[in-house]
Amino acid sequence: MRLDKFLKVSRLIKRRTLAKEVADKGRITINGHQAKAASNVTVGDKLVIQFGQKLVTIEVTALKETVKKDEAETLYKVLKEEVPKDTK
């Protein structure tokens, strides 16, 4: 599944166009490699997403084309949320 679609379906980012912008600005890595919006996401991948000053590390646990809002969190597991020390 494309990265931008996964971010939208999982509701980590509300709109697919916004997910594409975030990826194209270099704010997302998949397993340590810079990701583009069209990058492929598979179960078990670790994503690091920069939301403003916060870094969120998640692991992809499932891939589905559509999910209900209350089931969206079942697609991933948050491993770590941190604010880098140099930004405080």
Side-chain angles (χ1 to χ4, degrees):
M1 175 180 283
R2 283 176 55 113
L3 174 62
D4 56 348
K5 180 159 183 167
F6 173 77
L7 293 172
K8 180 193 176 294
V9 170
S10 66
R11 290 176 172 78
L12 285 162
I13 296 180
K14 289 186 181 190
R15 292 186 317 262
R16 191 167 174 178
T17 54
L18 184 58
K20 181 182 182 322
E21 285 178 29
V22 171
D24 290 345
K25 287 182 179 177
R27 295 183 175 186
I28 302 175
T29 60
I30 300 175
N31 298 325
H33 301 288
Q34 201 69 43
K36 297 281 186 198
S39 297
N40 219 16
V41 176
T42 58
V43 173
D45 282 349
K46 289 186 177 37
L47 278 60
V48 178
I49 307 167
Q50 181 182 349
F51 291 107
Q53 300 300 320
K54 185 167 62 169
L55 287 177
V56 179
T57 305
I58 65 160
E59 181 178 351
V60 179
T61 57
L63 295 174
K64 295 183 181 178
E65 291 296 316
T66 58
V67 291
K68 293 180 178 162
K69 188 176 184 178
D70 55 337
E71 297 172 357
E73 288 186 11
T74 64
L75 298 180
Y76 63 92
K77 176 173 60 173
V78 176
L79 301 176
K80 185 169 48 171
E81 280 188 51
E82 63 183 339
V83 177
K85 293 185 185 339
D86 60 340
T87 60
K88 286 184 181 178

